[in-house]
């Protein structure tokens, strides 16, 4: 099952973010910023508006007070970004980039596949009401090509690595999907257990909608079928209906307080917390039942 994973730094969904440049080799930084702009997701629910410093109305002082040629100083940039309606400033630095060990007399270094790139990112809220958040990021070429197979066809390996780095940077400030393995309840010697198991096969093949129909039928004919309750709670998570998911999971725990059913309820609420954190949502109306807020 694919579930939402909260960004590592701060959710910037629906926010305006100014990229305040990236320190490091000029051969990389400009291309990386270009890829950040190009790789910004536009799908519903993850929209973000990115801009660069050169798109701001910059007074001369912003250049005079720049910390480096690539990154303006916070003091000069923050009030301008805030007055232009930006919520965050994103600053970056290329810490390290290495190439795979090759014989330079055989393959020119510029054509060699890069081994990895290490970046440091810093996110600052223009309102000044939040402390800066920093995060390192290392992108290995081979791992990135497995994670993003479409980049394997890129002729320029350095560009492929920079595209992967931009996508991984998105994960620092935007929610992303990850695949979680879930355990379905498997009933035996209970009324309509065959129908529940048939639904399980459909769910394992990704057909949660048809599976849910079978589990609903089983529960309708046998209201105490806790296996159908548990599996329906997972189907509700798949369609991001966490309120119903928790209602079904709690009902299953009341009728059969097994370790499996209790762990299922905890897993669902943790995924709901992740979902709310990902998109900056308020606590659900029904509240939290089995998990607690993180310590400040």
């Amino acid at each position: 099952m694919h579930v939402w994973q909260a960004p590592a730094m701060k959710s910037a969904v629906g926010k305006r973010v100014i990229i305040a440049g990236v320190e490091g080799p000029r051969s990389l930084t400009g291309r990386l910023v270009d890829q950040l702009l190009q790789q910004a997701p536009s799908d519903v629910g993850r929209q973000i508006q990115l801009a660069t410093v050169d798109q701001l109305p910059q007074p001369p002082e912003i250049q005079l007070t720049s910390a480096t040629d690539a990154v303006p100083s916070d003091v000069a940039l923050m009030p301008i970004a805030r007055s232009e309606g930006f919520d965050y400033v994103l600053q970056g630095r290329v810490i390290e980039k290495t190439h795979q060990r090759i014989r330079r007399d055989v393959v020119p270094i510029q054509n060699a596949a890069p081994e990895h790139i290490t970046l440091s990112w810093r996110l600052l809220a223009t309102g000044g009401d939040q402390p800066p958040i920093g995060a390192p990021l290392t992108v290995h070429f081979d791992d990135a090509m497995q994670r993003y197979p479409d980049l394997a066809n890129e002729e320029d390996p350095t560009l492929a690595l920079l595209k992967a780095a931009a996508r991984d940077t998105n994960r620092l400030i935007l929610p992303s999907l990850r695949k979680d393995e879930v355990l379905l309840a498997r009933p035996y010697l209970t009324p309509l257990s065959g129908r529940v198991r048939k639904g399980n096969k459909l769910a394992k093949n990704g057909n949660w909608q048809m599976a849910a129909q079978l589990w609903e039928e089983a529960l309708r004919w046998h209201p105490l079928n806790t296996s159908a309750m548990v599996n329906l709670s997972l189907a509700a998570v798949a369609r991001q209906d966490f309120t119903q998911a928790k209602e079904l999971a709690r009902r299953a725990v009341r009728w059969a307080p097994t370790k499996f059913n209790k762990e299922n309820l905890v897993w669902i609420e943790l995924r709901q917390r992740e979902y709310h954190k990902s998109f900056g949502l308020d606590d659900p109306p029904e509240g939290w039942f089995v998990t607690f807020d993180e310590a400040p």
Side-chain angles (χ1 to χ4, degrees):
M1 180 190 298
H2 285 91
V3 296
W4 286 107
Q5 177 174 282
M9 294 173 69
K10 183 77 174 180
S11 179
V13 172
K15 304 297 185 181
R16 302 184 71 205
V17 179
I18 192 82
I19 304 173
V22 179
E23 296 181 65
R26 293 183 180 272
S27 60
L28 296 177
T29 55
R31 298 172 78 190
L32 177 58
V33 171
D34 288 342
Q35 289 306 314
L36 284 171
L37 297 173
Q38 293 179 30
Q39 301 293 328
S42 58
D43 50 301
V44 177
R46 288 206 308 155
Q47 301 97 328
I48 184 173
Q49 184 176 341
L50 294 177
T52 56
V53 170
D54 57 11
Q55 295 174 275
L56 290 173
Q58 299 178 36
E61 290 78 8
I62 196 169
Q63 297 298 336
L64 295 175
T65 58
S66 294
T68 69
D69 291 339
V71 180
S73 72
D74 300 349
V75 174
L77 178 59
M78 293 296 276
I80 299 174
R82 183 168 55 250
S83 66
E84 291 299 310
F86 285 92
D87 303 285
Y88 293 104
V89 170
L90 181 65
Q91 296 177 337
R93 181 162 60 96
V94 177
I95 299 175
E96 181 184 18
K97 178 202 172 201
T98 62
H99 284 83
Q100 294 178 356
R101 294 185 178 87
I102 59 171
R103 287 182 55 190
R104 297 194 180 193
D105 58 333
V106 176
V107 179
I109 188 66
Q110 62 268 25
N111 296 330
E115 187 176 83
H116 76 272
I117 185 171
T118 299
L119 308 165
S120 176
W121 291 108
R122 189 164 174 251
L123 189 70
L124 303 94
T126 60
D129 54 344
Q130 304 173 32
I133 305 172
L137 177 65
T138 298
V139 185
H140 294 275
F141 183 86
D142 292 339
D143 292 342
M145 294 309 101
Q146 293 183 12
R147 193 161 56 253
Y148 309 116
D150 61 301
L151 299 183
N153 297 322
E154 180 64 54
E155 294 183 1
D156 182 348
T158 298
L159 181 57
L161 184 66
L162 292 176
K163 286 184 177 181
R167 294 182 188 183
D168 282 354
T169 300
N170 283 335
R171 293 171 177 264
L172 297 178
I173 58 174
L174 293 171
S176 57
L177 286 172
R178 75 161 188 268
K179 191 173 183 179
D180 262 19
E181 295 292 332
V182 296
L183 294 177
L184 296 167
R186 296 178 294 175
Y188 292 98
L189 302 177
T190 58
L192 300 172
S193 59
R195 191 172 295 268
V196 175
R197 290 197 299 273
K198 185 177 180 181
N200 290 7
K201 290 181 181 180
L202 289 169
K204 289 178 181 178
N205 292 325
N207 194 342
W208 284 92
Q209 185 175 359
M210 288 296 297
Q213 291 180 14
L214 291 174
W215 297 328
E216 286 170 354
E217 290 176 7
L219 193 59
R220 186 164 56 249
W221 287 100
H222 189 256
L224 299 184
N225 191 321
T226 56
S227 296
M229 291 180 200
V230 167
N231 293 346
L232 278 172
S233 71
L234 295 172
V237 171
R239 63 176 184 271
Q240 298 170 15
D241 187 348
F242 293 99
T243 298
Q244 184 179 28
K246 287 195 299 186
E247 181 182 339
L248 288 163
R250 294 178 71 203
R251 196 194 313 172
V253 170
R254 284 197 300 269
W255 286 107
T258 64
K259 179 182 178 182
F260 179 85
N261 291 350
K262 292 177 181 178
E263 289 178 346
N264 178 65
L265 176 58
V266 172
W267 182 87
I268 289 172
E269 191 161 286
L270 287 174
R271 299 292 73 76
Q272 185 182 24
R273 279 190 176 275
E274 196 93 2
Y275 180 78
H276 279 242
K277 182 179 178 181
S278 296
F279 296 97
L281 303 176
D282 294 331
D283 290 349
E286 71 274 10
W288 308 108
F289 299 119
V290 291
T291 62
F292 300 93
D293 292 326
E294 297 178 359

mmCIF file of all heavy atoms in Angstrom, residues 235-273:
data_model
loop_
_atom_site.group_PDB
_atom_site.id
_atom_site.type_symbol
_atom_site.label_atom_id
_atom_site.label_comp_id
_atom_site.label_asym_id
_atom_site.label_seq_id
_atom_site.Cartn_x
_atom_site.Cartn_y
_atom_site.Cartn_z
ATOM 1 N N ALA A 235 -8.556 -0.750 3.837
ATOM 2 C CA ALA A 235 -9.071 -0.221 2.576
ATOM 3 C C ALA A 235 -9.405 1.260 2.719
ATOM 4 O O ALA A 235 -9.211 2.047 1.785
ATOM 5 C CB ALA A 235 -10.295 -1.012 2.130
ATOM 6 N N ALA A 236 -9.904 1.662 3.907
ATOM 7 C CA ALA A 236 -10.205 3.072 4.152
ATOM 8 C C ALA A 236 -8.927 3.903 4.169
ATOM 9 O O ALA A 236 -8.898 5.036 3.686
ATOM 10 C CB ALA A 236 -10.967 3.222 5.471
ATOM 11 N N VAL A 237 -7.842 3.345 4.714
ATOM 12 C CA VAL A 237 -6.556 4.040 4.692
ATOM 13 C C VAL A 237 -6.096 4.228 3.250
ATOM 14 O O VAL A 237 -5.581 5.288 2.881
ATOM 15 C CB VAL A 237 -5.496 3.264 5.495
ATOM 16 C CG1 VAL A 237 -4.107 3.865 5.292
ATOM 17 C CG2 VAL A 237 -5.846 3.251 6.974
ATOM 18 N N ALA A 238 -6.290 3.211 2.418
ATOM 19 C CA ALA A 238 -5.867 3.289 1.021
ATOM 20 C C ALA A 238 -6.542 4.443 0.289
ATOM 21 O O ALA A 238 -5.954 5.023 -0.626
ATOM 22 C CB ALA A 238 -6.155 1.961 0.316
ATOM 23 N N ARG A 239 -7.764 4.793 0.680
ATOM 24 C CA ARG A 239 -8.449 5.929 0.059
ATOM 25 C C ARG A 239 -8.401 7.168 0.958
ATOM 26 O O ARG A 239 -9.129 8.130 0.753
ATOM 27 C CB ARG A 239 -9.901 5.577 -0.280
ATOM 28 C CG ARG A 239 -10.792 5.236 0.894
ATOM 29 C CD ARG A 239 -12.236 4.989 0.423
ATOM 30 N NE ARG A 239 -13.120 4.752 1.543
ATOM 31 C CZ ARG A 239 -13.369 3.568 2.079
ATOM 32 N NH1 ARG A 239 -12.785 2.481 1.549
ATOM 33 N NH2 ARG A 239 -14.183 3.452 3.103
ATOM 34 N N GLN A 240 -7.560 7.134 1.993
ATOM 35 C CA GLN A 240 -7.277 8.257 2.884
ATOM 36 C C GLN A 240 -8.487 8.706 3.697
ATOM 37 O O GLN A 240 -8.623 9.873 4.056
ATOM 38 C CB GLN A 240 -6.699 9.425 2.087
ATOM 39 C CG GLN A 240 -5.375 9.093 1.425
ATOM 40 C CD GLN A 240 -4.912 10.147 0.440
ATOM 41 O OE1 GLN A 240 -5.402 11.250 0.425
ATOM 42 N NE2 GLN A 240 -3.969 9.776 -0.400
ATOM 43 N N ASP A 241 -9.361 7.755 4.013
ATOM 44 C CA ASP A 241 -10.495 8.025 4.904
ATOM 45 C C ASP A 241 -10.125 7.486 6.287
ATOM 46 O O ASP A 241 -10.557 6.409 6.706
ATOM 47 C CB ASP A 241 -11.758 7.346 4.374
ATOM 48 C CG ASP A 241 -13.010 7.725 5.172
ATOM 49 O OD1 ASP A 241 -12.861 8.330 6.254
ATOM 50 O OD2 ASP A 241 -14.121 7.398 4.724
ATOM 51 N N PHE A 242 -9.334 8.253 7.008
ATOM 52 C CA PHE A 242 -8.792 7.774 8.280
ATOM 53 C C PHE A 242 -9.841 7.726 9.378
ATOM 54 O O PHE A 242 -9.733 6.902 10.291
ATOM 55 C CB PHE A 242 -7.612 8.652 8.706
ATOM 56 C CG PHE A 242 -6.415 8.535 7.811
ATOM 57 C CD1 PHE A 242 -6.179 9.481 6.823
ATOM 58 C CD2 PHE A 242 -5.543 7.473 7.933
ATOM 59 C CE1 PHE A 242 -5.077 9.369 5.985
ATOM 60 C CE2 PHE A 242 -4.441 7.348 7.105
ATOM 61 C CZ PHE A 242 -4.206 8.299 6.122
ATOM 62 N N THR A 243 -10.838 8.586 9.304
ATOM 63 C CA THR A 243 -11.894 8.564 10.312
ATOM 64 C C THR A 243 -12.619 7.229 10.293
ATOM 65 O O THR A 243 -12.822 6.595 11.340
ATOM 66 C CB THR A 243 -12.887 9.716 10.082
ATOM 67 O OG1 THR A 243 -12.184 10.972 10.222
ATOM 68 C CG2 THR A 243 -14.017 9.666 11.098
ATOM 69 N N GLN A 244 -13.008 6.782 9.108
ATOM 70 C CA GLN A 244 -13.680 5.487 9.024
ATOM 71 C C GLN A 244 -12.715 4.352 9.341
ATOM 72 O O GLN A 244 -13.106 3.365 9.967
ATOM 73 C CB GLN A 244 -14.278 5.264 7.632
ATOM 74 C CG GLN A 244 -15.079 3.970 7.550
ATOM 75 C CD GLN A 244 -15.690 3.739 6.190
ATOM 76 O OE1 GLN A 244 -15.158 4.200 5.190
ATOM 77 N NE2 GLN A 244 -16.809 3.029 6.148
ATOM 78 N N ALA A 245 -11.466 4.513 8.921
ATOM 79 C CA ALA A 245 -10.477 3.469 9.194
ATOM 80 C C ALA A 245 -10.339 3.233 10.692
ATOM 81 O O ALA A 245 -10.339 2.088 11.168
ATOM 82 C CB ALA A 245 -9.128 3.852 8.583
ATOM 83 N N LYS A 246 -10.241 4.310 11.470
ATOM 84 C CA LYS A 246 -10.094 4.159 12.915
ATOM 85 C C LYS A 246 -11.373 3.631 13.558
ATOM 86 O O LYS A 246 -11.316 2.857 14.517
ATOM 87 C CB LYS A 246 -9.688 5.488 13.547
ATOM 88 C CG LYS A 246 -8.257 5.890 13.271
ATOM 89 C CD LYS A 246 -7.769 6.990 14.186
ATOM 90 C CE LYS A 246 -8.558 8.249 14.061
ATOM 91 N NZ LYS A 246 -8.000 9.366 14.856
ATOM 92 N N GLU A 247 -12.522 4.034 13.029
ATOM 93 C CA GLU A 247 -13.780 3.543 13.569
ATOM 94 C C GLU A 247 -13.881 2.032 13.416
ATOM 95 O O GLU A 247 -14.254 1.313 14.353
ATOM 96 C CB GLU A 247 -14.944 4.229 12.858
ATOM 97 C CG GLU A 247 -16.315 3.797 13.356
ATOM 98 C CD GLU A 247 -17.442 4.454 12.590
ATOM 99 O OE1 GLU A 247 -17.200 5.503 11.967
ATOM 100 O OE2 GLU A 247 -18.565 3.909 12.608
ATOM 101 N N LEU A 248 -13.526 1.521 12.235
ATOM 102 C CA LEU A 248 -13.564 0.077 11.996
ATOM 103 C C LEU A 248 -12.516 -0.644 12.825
ATOM 104 O O LEU A 248 -12.775 -1.710 13.398
ATOM 105 C CB LEU A 248 -13.345 -0.201 10.505
ATOM 106 C CG LEU A 248 -14.508 0.154 9.582
ATOM 107 C CD1 LEU A 248 -14.023 0.241 8.137
ATOM 108 C CD2 LEU A 248 -15.621 -0.890 9.709
ATOM 109 N N ALA A 249 -11.313 -0.073 12.899
ATOM 110 C CA ALA A 249 -10.241 -0.711 13.651
ATOM 111 C C ALA A 249 -10.566 -0.763 15.141
ATOM 112 O O ALA A 249 -10.294 -1.772 15.818
ATOM 113 C CB ALA A 249 -8.929 0.027 13.420
ATOM 114 N N ARG A 250 -11.171 0.287 15.685
ATOM 115 C CA ARG A 250 -11.540 0.291 17.100
ATOM 116 C C ARG A 250 -12.655 -0.713 17.374
ATOM 117 O O ARG A 250 -12.673 -1.373 18.413
ATOM 118 C CB ARG A 250 -11.973 1.690 17.526
ATOM 119 C CG ARG A 250 -10.860 2.732 17.494
ATOM 120 C CD ARG A 250 -11.370 4.097 17.872
ATOM 121 N NE ARG A 250 -11.687 4.173 19.285
ATOM 122 C CZ ARG A 250 -12.530 5.051 19.822
ATOM 123 N NH1 ARG A 250 -13.178 5.896 19.040
ATOM 124 N NH2 ARG A 250 -12.751 5.057 21.115
ATOM 125 N N ARG A 251 -13.585 -0.829 16.420
ATOM 126 C CA ARG A 251 -14.652 -1.806 16.595
ATOM 127 C C ARG A 251 -14.074 -3.228 16.624
ATOM 128 O O ARG A 251 -14.489 -4.067 17.430
ATOM 129 C CB ARG A 251 -15.668 -1.681 15.461
ATOM 130 C CG ARG A 251 -16.996 -2.389 15.783
ATOM 131 C CD ARG A 251 -17.866 -2.546 14.553
ATOM 132 N NE ARG A 251 -17.986 -1.330 13.754
ATOM 133 C CZ ARG A 251 -18.584 -1.314 12.564
ATOM 134 N NH1 ARG A 251 -19.089 -2.423 12.049
ATOM 135 N NH2 ARG A 251 -18.661 -0.192 11.885
ATOM 136 N N ALA A 252 -13.087 -3.486 15.762
ATOM 137 C CA ALA A 252 -12.455 -4.807 15.744
ATOM 138 C C ALA A 252 -11.756 -5.093 17.066
ATOM 139 O O ALA A 252 -11.811 -6.214 17.591
ATOM 140 C CB ALA A 252 -11.471 -4.896 14.587
ATOM 141 N N VAL A 253 -11.123 -4.061 17.652
ATOM 142 C CA VAL A 253 -10.442 -4.249 18.934
ATOM 143 C C VAL A 253 -11.455 -4.522 20.044
ATOM 144 O O VAL A 253 -11.210 -5.355 20.938
ATOM 145 C CB VAL A 253 -9.578 -3.006 19.266
ATOM 146 C CG1 VAL A 253 -9.068 -3.075 20.707
ATOM 147 C CG2 VAL A 253 -8.411 -2.897 18.297
ATOM 148 N N ARG A 254 -12.595 -3.849 20.001
ATOM 149 C CA ARG A 254 -13.613 -4.072 21.039
ATOM 150 C C ARG A 254 -14.130 -5.513 21.009
ATOM 151 O O ARG A 254 -14.324 -6.137 22.060
ATOM 152 C CB ARG A 254 -14.779 -3.090 20.849
ATOM 153 C CG ARG A 254 -14.490 -1.682 21.306
ATOM 154 C CD ARG A 254 -15.765 -0.875 21.483
ATOM 155 N NE ARG A 254 -16.520 -0.764 20.251
ATOM 156 C CZ ARG A 254 -16.389 0.218 19.376
ATOM 157 N NH1 ARG A 254 -15.493 1.164 19.591
ATOM 158 N NH2 ARG A 254 -17.145 0.254 18.295
ATOM 159 N N TRP A 255 -14.348 -6.049 19.806
ATOM 160 C CA TRP A 255 -14.891 -7.405 19.702
ATOM 161 C C TRP A 255 -13.818 -8.482 19.825
ATOM 162 O O TRP A 255 -14.096 -9.599 20.275
ATOM 163 C CB TRP A 255 -15.632 -7.568 18.368
ATOM 164 C CG TRP A 255 -16.948 -6.866 18.325
ATOM 165 C CD1 TRP A 255 -17.259 -5.737 17.642
ATOM 166 C CD2 TRP A 255 -18.131 -7.252 19.019
ATOM 167 N NE1 TRP A 255 -18.559 -5.376 17.866
ATOM 168 C CE2 TRP A 255 -19.132 -6.299 18.713
ATOM 169 C CE3 TRP A 255 -18.462 -8.298 19.890
ATOM 170 C CZ2 TRP A 255 -20.424 -6.367 19.232
ATOM 171 C CZ3 TRP A 255 -19.753 -8.359 20.399
ATOM 172 C CH2 TRP A 255 -20.714 -7.400 20.070
ATOM 173 N N ALA A 256 -12.603 -8.147 19.423
ATOM 174 C CA ALA A 256 -11.504 -9.128 19.501
ATOM 175 C C ALA A 256 -10.218 -8.373 19.814
ATOM 176 O O ALA A 256 -9.485 -7.973 18.903
ATOM 177 C CB ALA A 256 -11.385 -9.901 18.187
ATOM 178 N N PRO A 257 -9.922 -8.142 21.100
ATOM 179 C CA PRO A 257 -8.756 -7.346 21.488
ATOM 180 C C PRO A 257 -7.437 -8.109 21.357
ATOM 181 O O PRO A 257 -6.675 -8.235 22.320
ATOM 182 C CB PRO A 257 -9.061 -6.981 22.946
ATOM 183 C CG PRO A 257 -9.910 -8.108 23.446
ATOM 184 C CD PRO A 257 -10.742 -8.545 22.272
ATOM 185 N N THR A 258 -7.165 -8.627 20.163
ATOM 186 C CA THR A 258 -5.927 -9.365 19.933
ATOM 187 C C THR A 258 -4.784 -8.393 19.679
ATOM 188 O O THR A 258 -4.981 -7.210 19.357
ATOM 189 C CB THR A 258 -6.073 -10.292 18.720
ATOM 190 O OG1 THR A 258 -6.285 -9.487 17.549
ATOM 191 C CG2 THR A 258 -7.244 -11.252 18.899
ATOM 192 N N LYS A 259 -3.574 -8.891 19.789
ATOM 193 C CA LYS A 259 -2.391 -8.067 19.517
ATOM 194 C C LYS A 259 -2.409 -7.560 18.079
ATOM 195 O O LYS A 259 -2.086 -6.393 17.807
ATOM 196 C CB LYS A 259 -1.119 -8.883 19.772
ATOM 197 C CG LYS A 259 0.166 -8.113 19.498
ATOM 198 C CD LYS A 259 1.390 -8.986 19.732
ATOM 199 C CE LYS A 259 2.654 -8.217 19.397
ATOM 200 N NZ LYS A 259 3.869 -9.065 19.583
ATOM 201 N N PHE A 260 -2.808 -8.417 17.152
ATOM 202 C CA PHE A 260 -2.863 -8.043 15.742
ATOM 203 C C PHE A 260 -3.819 -6.869 15.532
ATOM 204 O O PHE A 260 -3.482 -5.886 14.856
ATOM 205 C CB PHE A 260 -3.309 -9.242 14.898
ATOM 206 C CG PHE A 260 -3.427 -8.951 13.429
ATOM 207 C CD1 PHE A 260 -2.322 -9.038 12.597
ATOM 208 C CD2 PHE A 260 -4.647 -8.580 12.878
ATOM 209 C CE1 PHE A 260 -2.427 -8.756 11.237
ATOM 210 C CE2 PHE A 260 -4.771 -8.307 11.523
ATOM 211 C CZ PHE A 260 -3.657 -8.393 10.700
ATOM 212 N N ASN A 261 -5.005 -6.941 16.114
ATOM 213 C CA ASN A 261 -5.999 -5.882 15.929
ATOM 214 C C ASN A 261 -5.563 -4.574 16.589
ATOM 215 O O ASN A 261 -5.803 -3.489 16.061
ATOM 216 C CB ASN A 261 -7.355 -6.326 16.470
ATOM 217 C CG ASN A 261 -7.982 -7.425 15.630
ATOM 218 O OD1 ASN A 261 -7.504 -7.742 14.538
ATOM 219 N ND2 ASN A 261 -9.048 -8.037 16.136
ATOM 220 N N LYS A 262 -4.921 -4.673 17.753
ATOM 221 C CA LYS A 262 -4.437 -3.471 18.424
ATOM 222 C C LYS A 262 -3.312 -2.817 17.620
ATOM 223 O O LYS A 262 -3.275 -1.590 17.467
ATOM 224 C CB LYS A 262 -3.944 -3.814 19.831
ATOM 225 C CG LYS A 262 -5.052 -4.237 20.794
ATOM 226 C CD LYS A 262 -4.471 -4.630 22.154
ATOM 227 C CE LYS A 262 -5.556 -5.082 23.119
ATOM 228 N NZ LYS A 262 -4.989 -5.513 24.426
ATOM 229 N N GLU A 263 -2.401 -3.619 17.103
ATOM 230 C CA GLU A 263 -1.309 -3.071 16.292
ATOM 231 C C GLU A 263 -1.835 -2.442 15.011
ATOM 232 O O GLU A 263 -1.280 -1.446 14.525
ATOM 233 C CB GLU A 263 -0.289 -4.174 15.978
ATOM 234 C CG GLU A 263 0.521 -4.611 17.186
ATOM 235 C CD GLU A 263 1.490 -5.731 16.860
ATOM 236 O OE1 GLU A 263 1.346 -6.351 15.777
ATOM 237 O OE2 GLU A 263 2.392 -5.996 17.680
ATOM 238 N N ASN A 264 -2.902 -3.003 14.469
ATOM 239 C CA ASN A 264 -3.498 -2.418 13.270
ATOM 240 C C ASN A 264 -4.040 -1.021 13.562
ATOM 241 O O ASN A 264 -3.851 -0.092 12.766
ATOM 242 C CB ASN A 264 -4.625 -3.319 12.766
ATOM 243 C CG ASN A 264 -5.332 -2.746 11.555
ATOM 244 O OD1 ASN A 264 -4.737 -2.611 10.487
ATOM 245 N ND2 ASN A 264 -6.597 -2.408 11.700
ATOM 246 N N LEU A 265 -4.680 -0.841 14.718
ATOM 247 C CA LEU A 265 -5.206 0.468 15.090
ATOM 248 C C LEU A 265 -4.075 1.479 15.257
ATOM 249 O O LEU A 265 -4.184 2.630 14.804
ATOM 250 C CB LEU A 265 -6.029 0.349 16.371
ATOM 251 C CG LEU A 265 -6.575 1.652 16.957
ATOM 252 C CD1 LEU A 265 -7.446 2.380 15.948
ATOM 253 C CD2 LEU A 265 -7.349 1.381 18.243
ATOM 254 N N VAL A 266 -3.006 1.070 15.913
ATOM 255 C CA VAL A 266 -1.860 1.971 16.102
ATOM 256 C C VAL A 266 -1.267 2.359 14.750
ATOM 257 O O VAL A 266 -0.964 3.538 14.492
ATOM 258 C CB VAL A 266 -0.790 1.314 16.993
ATOM 259 C CG1 VAL A 266 0.476 2.161 17.025
ATOM 260 C CG2 VAL A 266 -1.328 1.108 18.410
ATOM 261 N N TRP A 267 -1.100 1.382 13.858
ATOM 262 C CA TRP A 267 -0.529 1.649 12.534
ATOM 263 C C TRP A 267 -1.385 2.668 11.781
ATOM 264 O O TRP A 267 -0.864 3.596 11.154
ATOM 265 C CB TRP A 267 -0.420 0.355 11.728
ATOM 266 C CG TRP A 267 0.209 0.537 10.383
ATOM 267 C CD1 TRP A 267 1.529 0.514 10.073
ATOM 268 C CD2 TRP A 267 -0.485 0.790 9.140
ATOM 269 N NE1 TRP A 267 1.718 0.734 8.731
ATOM 270 C CE2 TRP A 267 0.499 0.898 8.140
ATOM 271 C CE3 TRP A 267 -1.822 0.917 8.797
ATOM 272 C CZ2 TRP A 267 0.174 1.134 6.797
ATOM 273 C CZ3 TRP A 267 -2.153 1.159 7.468
ATOM 274 C CH2 TRP A 267 -1.159 1.267 6.486
ATOM 275 N N ILE A 268 -2.703 2.522 11.843
ATOM 276 C CA ILE A 268 -3.597 3.435 11.134
ATOM 277 C C ILE A 268 -3.458 4.854 11.668
ATOM 278 O O ILE A 268 -3.333 5.824 10.903
ATOM 279 C CB ILE A 268 -5.061 2.954 11.250
ATOM 280 C CG1 ILE A 268 -5.270 1.693 10.414
ATOM 281 C CG2 ILE A 268 -6.029 4.049 10.808
ATOM 282 C CD1 ILE A 268 -6.620 1.043 10.607
ATOM 283 N N GLU A 269 -3.425 5.009 12.995
ATOM 284 C CA GLU A 269 -3.337 6.357 13.547
ATOM 285 C C GLU A 269 -1.977 6.989 13.261
ATOM 286 O O GLU A 269 -1.890 8.210 13.045
ATOM 287 C CB GLU A 269 -3.616 6.348 15.048
ATOM 288 C CG GLU A 269 -3.790 7.759 15.600
ATOM 289 C CD GLU A 269 -4.501 7.785 16.935
ATOM 290 O OE1 GLU A 269 -5.728 7.571 16.948
ATOM 291 O OE2 GLU A 269 -3.820 8.021 17.959
ATOM 292 N N LEU A 270 -0.931 6.186 13.233
ATOM 293 C CA LEU A 270 0.382 6.723 12.867
ATOM 294 C C LEU A 270 0.388 7.212 11.433
ATOM 295 O O LEU A 270 0.974 8.251 11.108
ATOM 296 C CB LEU A 270 1.463 5.658 13.067
ATOM 297 C CG LEU A 270 1.829 5.336 14.512
ATOM 298 C CD1 LEU A 270 2.798 4.165 14.562
ATOM 299 C CD2 LEU A 270 2.428 6.557 15.208
ATOM 300 N N ARG A 271 -0.279 6.480 10.536
ATOM 301 C CA ARG A 271 -0.358 6.917 9.134
ATOM 302 C C ARG A 271 -1.195 8.193 9.030
ATOM 303 O O ARG A 271 -0.919 9.055 8.204
ATOM 304 C CB ARG A 271 -0.951 5.821 8.260
ATOM 305 C CG ARG A 271 -0.185 4.517 8.219
ATOM 306 C CD ARG A 271 1.178 4.604 7.525
ATOM 307 N NE ARG A 271 2.195 5.299 8.288
ATOM 308 C CZ ARG A 271 2.838 4.776 9.346
ATOM 309 N NH1 ARG A 271 2.526 3.564 9.779
ATOM 310 N NH2 ARG A 271 3.777 5.454 9.962
ATOM 311 N N GLN A 272 -2.229 8.300 9.872
ATOM 312 C CA GLN A 272 -3.042 9.516 9.854
ATOM 313 C C GLN A 272 -2.225 10.707 10.337
ATOM 314 O O GLN A 272 -2.313 11.802 9.780
ATOM 315 C CB GLN A 272 -4.290 9.340 10.725
ATOM 316 C CG GLN A 272 -5.234 10.539 10.647
ATOM 317 C CD GLN A 272 -6.446 10.390 11.547
ATOM 318 O OE1 GLN A 272 -6.401 9.659 12.536
ATOM 319 N NE2 GLN A 272 -7.532 11.066 11.207
ATOM 320 N N ARG A 273 -1.440 10.512 11.372
ATOM 321 C CA ARG A 273 -0.584 11.592 11.857
ATOM 322 C C ARG A 273 0.389 12.027 10.757
ATOM 323 O O ARG A 273 0.629 13.225 10.553
ATOM 324 C CB ARG A 273 0.194 11.147 13.096
ATOM 325 C CG ARG A 273 -0.597 11.206 14.386
ATOM 326 C CD ARG A 273 0.302 10.976 15.590
ATOM 327 N NE ARG A 273 -0.399 11.124 16.842
ATOM 328 C CZ ARG A 273 -0.601 12.268 17.476
ATOM 329 N NH1 ARG A 273 -0.152 13.394 16.945
ATOM 330 N NH2 ARG A 273 -1.240 12.301 18.632
#
